[in-house]
Amino acid sequence: MNKVKGTYDVLPNESKMWQALEKKIAQLMERYNYKEIRTPMMEYSEVFHRQSEGSDMVTKETYDFLDRSDRKLTLKPEGTAGVIRSFVENKLYVGNDVVKLYYIQPNFRYERPQKGRYRQFMQFGVEAIGIRSPLLDAEVVSIAYNFIKILGLKGAKIKINTLGDKTSRTNYLEALKAYFEPHREVLSYDSKVRLDKNPLRILDSKDENDIKLVKDAPTPLEYLTDDAKNYFDDVLKYLDSANIDYEISPRLVRGLDYYSHVVFEVEADIEGFGAQNVLGGGGRYESLVEELGGPSLGGIGIAFGLERILLALEAEHINLASEDAIDAYFIVFDEAHKKHAFSYAEMLRANDISVEFDFKKTSFKNQLKRALKLNAKYLLILGEDEINQGTITVKNTVTETQESIKQNDLLTYLKEKLGE
Ligand code: AMP
């Protein structure tokens, strides 16, 4: 039997990387005071298929199905809508000017699988919902910036733009339509449809002819109201004051209909990285909370594709799980001594020290081999002499020095050494 097309297994030798990445995310989120939210894998379809939605993703890429009672359900294709559904349903806004949330979750999209593009993929995302403030927008851009930084990725940059407020957007959409309309015949099939439904999406087109036309298309920056321009300037001022690098990308728009004001993406600029080089994207949304039945509140969010982050780390030879080692490995000379090893192991494990030993009866040499393969930091050797004298021989596998330690002192000794 094979796995479902476009999915993948995380095998034991890869899971450390995922765990290390998730740990980094949790640490980062603590610094910014964002709290984790976990929402279900499936939602009622209308959470994603709303009337206003004109994006390709929502119209053709979702996994929709009927359950046994004929309810229309959808596997989450993205994180924001589910989080907002929960935010509204649980009235998280009560008593809070801003609610800062993050998630790490699988998403499902029926796309053509390739490197960096899967049908089930993991996203880390944040949503800051409530007050409309350039400072909050700057904070979310800063999260994206620092996420890349704490991972040690060098070839990644932030591209930012604004779509402005409702008026700016409406004017801009008209200008876009007017610009593309005379070229309707040469547009790709998809872009012809987009021209009627959501011309913004044409700017994301990968079609060669479309790309040529997009080069001279008007940009949202030319259609900003004074308010929208000031808002964007304020966001940029905050970023400048904190030396957060970014590049203004005047034709960056994001496909989902609900964005307004700031939109941004994190792009990998790594040699040989391949076509799927957008690591993350986000922006401000003003109408989504209301559309999902909540009060008139906006929010700003970003989501990163974690498989692409791992690919970028690999391309830059960064191994987050390099500390993948166990603390101690018991080596015994006699099967009868295994019960001692087992009881010491229990005691050490209860004190947060990772311990392993051999389960089969095997030679000293083979035990040593396995210990080194598992990157054990210390060998805990239990022979006849040690048992008789109530000691353990502790050998550091890096310095190759060894000491005889009284069994009662083992925990203190290891704790001190491992803490160094
Ligand atoms: P989006 O919600 O489309 O803006 O996607 C946000 C991020 O999720 C992208 O920048 C990618 O890193 C990642 N992503 C989106 N679709 C996929 C996919 N099919 N497979 C893997 N990663 C994806």
Side-chain angles (χ1 to χ4, degrees):
M1 290 275 252
N2 293 327
K3 59 187 176 292
V4 171
K5 186 175 174 189
T7 65
Y8 59 86
D9 298 309
V10 177
L11 297 174
N13 62 335
E14 298 156 336
S15 54
K16 267 273 171 192
M17 229 16 207
W18 281 94
Q19 287 169 356
L21 183 58
E22 285 161 13
K23 208 162 146 190
K24 290 261 185 209
I25 292 171
Q27 285 165 347
L28 181 73
M29 290 293 85
E30 230 163 78
R31 284 196 217 160
Y32 286 84
N33 190 31
Y34 282 63
K35 304 278 192 282
E36 189 183 13
I37 184 163
R38 302 185 188 194
T39 63
M41 212 103 90
M42 53 191 172
E43 296 278 356
Y44 289 118
S45 297
E46 66 250 30
V47 170
F48 306 107
H49 298 289
R50 295 178 311 279
Q51 284 212 316
S52 72
E53 262 316 333
S55 85
D56 289 358
M57 189 249 289
V58 174
T59 45
K60 60 183 188 203
E61 291 175 1
T62 49
Y63 280 87
D64 300 318
F65 59 98
L66 292 176
D67 74 4
R68 287 169 192 247
S69 302
D70 283 342
R71 295 184 190 93
K72 285 185 185 157
L73 303 182
T74 298
L75 295 182
K76 286 195 279 203
E78 53 102 22
T80 307
V83 168
I84 301 296
R85 191 272 309 142
S86 172
F87 170 85
V88 171
E89 185 171 351
N90 294 292
K91 297 194 171 53
L92 298 186
Y93 45 86
V94 174
N96 294 309
D97 284 338
V98 60
V99 177
K100 308 204 294 185
L101 304 168
Y102 80 95
Y103 57 82
I104 300 174
Q105 66 171 39
N107 290 330
F108 305 84
R109 294 185 194 169
Y110 195 78
E111 298 191 274
R112 195 166 56 81
Q114 52 189 290
K115 191 178 171 194
R117 187 175 288 283
Y118 312 93
R119 289 187 173 170
Q120 176 176 337
F121 62 99
M122 289 295 285
Q123 273 188 346
F124 152 51
V126 310
E127 308 294 344
I129 318 154
I131 205 161
R132 183 155 77 87
S133 142
L135 176 58
L136 191 59
D137 296 15
E139 177 171 280
V140 173
V141 178
S142 147
I143 289 174
Y145 179 77
N146 283 300
F147 180 45
I148 296 300
K149 219 164 159 186
I150 61 165
L151 295 176
L153 285 173
K154 295 199 180 58
K157 55 178 180 234
I158 296 197
K159 299 198 157 174
I160 190 166
N161 196 18
T162 180
L163 299 172
D165 49 21
K166 223 176 175 168
T167 315
S168 328
R169 228 184 112 106
T170 313
N171 293 342
Y172 177 56
L173 283 179
E174 266 172 32
L176 265 188
K177 269 193 184 147
Y179 171 80
F180 284 116
E181 194 60 56
H183 305 288
R184 183 182 278 271
E185 286 319 304
V186 288
L187 283 174
S188 65
Y189 173 78
D190 279 348
S191 287
K192 279 193 189 97
V193 178
R194 292 168 183 148
L195 184 53
D196 297 321
K197 276 193 162 167
N198 181 1
L200 276 185
R201 287 286 301 186
I202 303 178
L203 303 195
D204 283 341
S205 173
K206 302 274 178 287
D207 178 88
E208 243 175 66
N209 269 330
D210 292 355
I211 291 175
K212 274 188 211 148
L213 281 174
V214 164
K215 277 206 179 95
D216 294 318
T219 72
L221 297 174
E222 302 156 46
Y223 294 87
L224 295 182
T225 59
D226 285 347
D227 267 4
K229 187 173 180 322
N230 289 338
Y231 189 93
F232 191 47
D233 285 346
D234 284 346
V235 176
L236 300 185
K237 266 185 220 151
Y238 279 121
L239 298 180
D240 292 337
S241 73
N243 292 325
I244 293 172
D245 296 327
Y246 61 85
E247 196 177 283
I248 294 182
S249 181
R251 284 189 188 80
L252 171 71
V253 295
R254 302 204 15 95
L256 291 180
D257 249 7
Y258 51 69
Y259 286 114
S260 55
H261 285 289
V262 176
V263 284
F264 65 109
E265 280 185 354
V266 180
E267 228 179 74
D269 189 9
I270 304 166
E271 223 185 277
F273 190 66
Q276 305 306 321
N277 68 340
V278 183
L279 302 179
R284 173 162 277 286
Y285 42 88
E286 301 282 69
S287 56
L288 190 59
V289 180
E290 243 177 320
E291 274 178 36
L292 289 168
S296 166
L297 292 172
I300 174 153
I302 167 123
F304 284 93
L306 293 185
E307 294 80 5
R308 290 191 199 170
I309 292 285
L310 289 180
L311 286 169
L313 288 168
E314 193 186 311
E316 291 201 4
H317 308 290
I318 298 169
N319 182 8
L320 290 186
S322 57
E323 64 273 29
D324 185 11
I326 54 166
D327 296 325
Y329 196 102
F330 271 99
I331 292 187
V332 297
F333 287 90
D334 189 325
E335 279 296 288
H337 297 152
K338 273 195 174 156
K339 64 175 186 294
H340 296 283
F342 183 63
S343 75
Y344 289 128
E346 286 295 287
M347 182 268 292
L348 295 175
R349 286 166 171 166
N351 285 281
D352 220 17
I353 293 174
S354 56
V355 183
E356 182 62 293
F357 34 66
D358 243 283
F359 294 91
K360 64 176 192 290
K361 189 174 172 188
T362 185
S363 65
F364 174 83
K365 208 171 132 200
N366 280 341
Q367 293 179 62
L368 184 62
K369 239 185 178 164
R370 182 156 177 263
L372 296 179
K373 194 170 152 207
L374 294 177
N375 262 334
K377 292 178 195 155
Y378 287 92
L379 303 178
L380 308 180
I381 304 166
L382 273 178
E384 200 62 44
D385 289 350
E386 281 88 355
I387 300 288
N388 290 337
Q389 292 160 12
T391 61
I392 293 184
T393 301
V394 181
K395 181 166 180 170
N396 181 316
T397 53
V398 179
T399 60
E400 300 212 336
T401 51
Q402 65 179 50
E403 285 183 72
S404 175
I405 306 296
K406 286 214 186 74
Q407 287 171 357
N408 285 340
D409 296 337
L410 181 64
L411 175 64
T412 330
Y413 178 85
L414 280 180
K415 276 217 142 168
E416 194 186 312
K417 291 285 178 192
L418 290 165
E420 275 173 4

